[in-house]
Amino acid sequence: MGDPSFFEEGELVAVLTAQPLDRFLDYKAPEGGCLSGAFVEVPLGPRLVLGVVWGTGRGDFDISRIRSVNRVLDVAPMGVGMRGFLERAAEYTLTPLHAMLRLATRVPGLSDPPSMQRIYRLGKGEPDRMTDARRRVLGTFSDYGGSAFTIGELSSLAGVTNSVVKGLVKQGVVFEEVTPRDLPFPRLDPEYGGKRLTNDQMSGAKALCAGVQSGHYGTTLLRGVTGSGKTEVYLEAVAECLRKGRQALVLLPEIALTAEFLKRVEARFGSQPAEWHSGVTMTERRRTWKMVGKGKASLVVGARSALFLPYSDLGLIVVDEEHDTSYKQEDGVLYNARDMAVLRASICDARVVLASATPSLESWANAEAGKYDMLELTSRYGSASLPEMRVIDMRLENLPRERWISPILKQAVERRILVGEQCLLFINRRGYAPVTICRACGHQVGCDLCDARMVEHRFLKRLMCHQCGQTKAMPETCPNCGAAGKLAPVGPGVERLAEEAKKLWPDARLAVLSSDLFGSARALKAKIEMIINGGADIIVGTQLVAKGHNFPLLTLVGVIDADLGLQGSDLRAAERTFQLMRQVAGRAGRAEKKGVAMLQTHQPEHAVIRSILTGNELEFWRAEADERRCAGVPPYGRMAGIVLSGQDISQVFNLGNALARNVGMLKAIGAEVFGPAAAPIARVKGRHRVRLLVKADKGAPLQKAVAEWVGQFRLKGDLRLSVDIDPQSFY
Ligand code: ADP
Ligand code: ZN
């Protein structure tokens, strides 16, 4: 506040670095001065580190010892809005500001000087002689859909030496170009290829466009059944944002969805937008980061971390499938991208569109309370209609052991195959079998480092811990009693379900979709395209398929275990099950043919299963909202989760007890504290875990009190403490 926007040489500036220090550092502005917000390189001890000029230096340090900024980097300075966003996000999530800066600068080569570089693109023709190494290079190009690479990137991705690439260049199969390191993105044309909207869609689009035109903050919940054209509608808001010359960001929950989405963007705006997620090459990431800062990328499509790019003028953020749990980052900085999108937009006068067929209760409550606008699309586009929902009562089906597809579902699948339509068999469980048990002693094979059972993955030929990712070979003998040949899988995972399907329908073409089965996002994309083009009769999949994909030939969805999500004590178990089941069912009948969804369940009278069947969402949300209101839990109350961990269980509990005894500042805001208690997964990666939970009224200043509370204690030894504001999972 009140800081100048330019500092003359020698003036004191406060610099924020991404180093774990809890203060700004004072430096003298370099020769030629520097802008407020400039990215700079500063000396810190013997090293040079990256930093941002945050404002005027405090000057409370021996002035003769203050060093100068080494140099100003050739990237756009960080705007006031972005700095304000990082500060507020740090306050909200109780994250140190330096960690927020690290999140915002996770890109290689930021401090490289501007220069030209050689990049390599796919050229034309075939090499004279195809070798394995050459094939891998060409494969890398097709994996990354036409990207350009530096030679280092290309050879390491392909696993070849540079000379293989050079050889292909000589033959013209690969082109070498010298370009400025980072090129602007092509202009997107808002008038290029708009679709003719239905009346419903049109009025929705108009409302969103009016919001964008206003140039003021506002959030709209765009609720519409799957296939109603939400994407078409929010693309109109993007178009309006482009017309105003401001930047737009579309967040997607799953990188597997980006390929399909990029195609739609190209059809609508004539060119591809910038992409930001883990499947993008480093070269492209740096280009995107820099161009976003200079305003030379007008639309970014990406994963949650795209929210932390340095937009020069962000006017619109779309959060597609806003209810999706993957928007919550569960390690490192714990934040919910949906909530941070709203925060960021409110700081930079941008609009937010939250799109979903099954909104989160949080967003639904905000809309009811008038904080968000609500737009609804009630019917599917064109002749597509919503799937019919049926329940299969598994108590009445006499299935043999180790079989999960009921006769009714089996018949329904066969009818579809006969007429050339597709079926989806859905199970929300990765791997082959969730439990491996010894038939001699009853022992269940567990992870050595975590209190979790190992999940058999036949495809990988390993047992895997879904907590820590550790794998081990399937033991020959029981680790407990030593009996040989007695270990047996119990229960189905997606791989085992696929095996059953293969046995039932040996002639059908089967496609298995689960995140473990794909080495790369591109391989998954190829499989999805194959399904869209009719290359499969039966899809067996996990929740990977529930999200957003359009499979036009799919008319039957069979849910193998609809009760799976209802077990467990998670506050959002009902909400999650409802959303997931409606989403999965929504995959059926997206084109002309009517779809059917069949849910196999052992508790057809369960309230959640009943509301999934009737599809009466309003009734479901109201009932769920009432329950949470009574219990004073989110969205009608606030929570913070504290996880303590360490190698020595008694030390961890000691700290937990000390916290529980010193809760004055929490009592002062009327908050309650629960715990300490062993976390549901009491050991992860060899560290014991203990939880505390803080519950407060909606209006209570939770963060401040929690910060004071946990700030009373110094963490000794290897003890760690993490605070999760608005926790989503309680493991
Ligand atoms: P949602 O995002 O709500 O699931 P989509 O926007 O993906 O729905 O629309 C479903 C399908 O219908 C897509 O293939 C889309 O291109 C098509 N569609 C929707 N609205 C229109 C329209 N007005 N004109 C042409 N096609 C449309
Ligand atoms: Zn483990």
Side-chain angles (χ1 to χ4, degrees), residues 248-512:
L249 164 64
V250 176
L251 294 177
L252 301 176
E254 180 78 53
I255 61 173
L257 291 171
T258 40
E260 213 179 315
F261 184 75
L262 292 179
K263 269 198 211 139
R264 289 178 75 165
V265 169
E266 190 164 4
R268 177 65 186 82
F269 301 117
S271 285
Q272 295 234 341
E275 240 182 300
W276 181 269
H277 53 74
S278 57
V280 174
T281 64
M282 287 300 169
T283 308
E284 277 299 299
R285 273 164 90 91
R286 192 192 54 232
R287 174 187 179 207
T288 295
W289 195 96
K290 289 196 172 177
M291 290 306 135
V292 162
K294 290 185 177 167
K296 301 278 168 63
S298 49
L299 172 60
V300 177
V301 175
R304 59 184 179 224
S305 58
L307 204 54
F308 292 91
L309 290 170
Y311 301 91
S312 58
D313 183 18
L314 186 59
L316 172 70
I317 306 172
V318 177
V319 184
D320 202 354
E321 312 281 354
E322 66 91 29
H323 62 279
D324 199 285
T325 51
S326 67
Y327 283 122
K328 178 70 191 273
Q329 166 129 330
E330 296 283 11
D331 50 38
V333 179
L334 307 175
Y335 67 92
N336 188 321
R338 178 195 63 216
D339 302 342
M340 291 300 115
V342 171
L343 175 63
R344 176 144 204 187
S346 69
I347 291 173
C348 65
D349 288 322
R351 305 300 289 194
V352 178
V353 176
L354 305 177
S356 176
T358 51
S360 62
L361 194 56
E362 270 84 1
S363 299
W364 188 82
N366 279 327
E368 283 250 303
K371 280 195 215 156
Y372 297 170
D373 299 331
M374 168 94 104
L375 282 175
E376 284 189 85
L377 299 172
T378 46
S379 55
R380 283 192 159 178
Y381 174 71
S383 52
S385 57
L386 282 171
E388 181 191 330
M389 307 283 286
R390 285 188 215 152
V391 65
I392 299 175
D393 186 344
M394 295 303 280
R395 294 169 306 190
L396 310 176
E397 303 286 311
N398 263 322
L399 271 186
R401 268 165 46 90
E402 326 272 82
R403 291 267 308 277
W404 294 277
I405 299 169
S406 66
I408 301 182
L409 183 55
K410 175 168 178 280
Q411 247 184 25
V413 169
E414 279 156 12
R415 276 202 303 274
R416 294 304 180 304
I417 297 180
L418 271 181
V419 294
E421 294 169 12
Q422 284 173 338
C423 311
L424 163 64
L425 299 177
F426 174 83
I427 183 157
N428 193 17
R429 224 193 234 146
R430 297 184 291 139
Y432 183 81
V435 181
T436 302
I437 198 166
C438 170
R439 268 186 270 132
C441 73
H443 175 75
Q444 301 185 355
V445 181
C447 175
D448 300 332
L449 304 173
C450 311
D451 277 350
R453 292 180 298 210
M454 297 289 270
V455 178
E456 183 184 353
H457 286 247
R458 282 230 170 144
F459 179 78
L460 303 170
K461 300 196 178 63
R462 311 280 289 175
L463 289 168
M464 186 195 288
C465 170
H466 284 185
Q467 291 316 316
C468 71
Q470 223 218 14
T471 66
K472 59 183 173 195
M474 176 64 85
E476 309 256 312
T477 58
C478 172
N480 186 48
C481 72
K486 289 290 184 189
L487 290 176
V490 177
V494 64
E495 295 173 19
R496 200 170 193 190
L497 185 63
E499 192 179 87
E500 185 181 356
K502 209 171 287 165
K503 272 193 207 130
L504 286 176
W505 304 290
D507 300 327
R509 293 166 306 161
L510 208 64
V512 188

Side-chain angles (χ1 to χ4, degrees), residues 194-199 201-202 222-235 260 264 320-321 355-357 377 379-382 384 548-550 583 586-587 590-591:
K195 288 208 167 83
R196 220 192 144 81
L197 299 184
T198 65
N199 287 343
Q201 292 173 344
M202 182 74 86
L222 175 59
R223 186 176 152 229
V225 296
T226 43
S228 56
K230 291 184 293 300
T231 312
E232 301 298 338
V233 171
Y234 73 64
L235 282 178
E260 213 179 315
R264 289 178 75 165
D320 202 354
E321 312 281 354
S356 176
L377 299 172
S379 55
R380 283 192 159 178
Y381 174 71
H549 297 292
N550 263 318
Q583 291 277 331
R587 300 304 112 213
R590 302 214 28 165

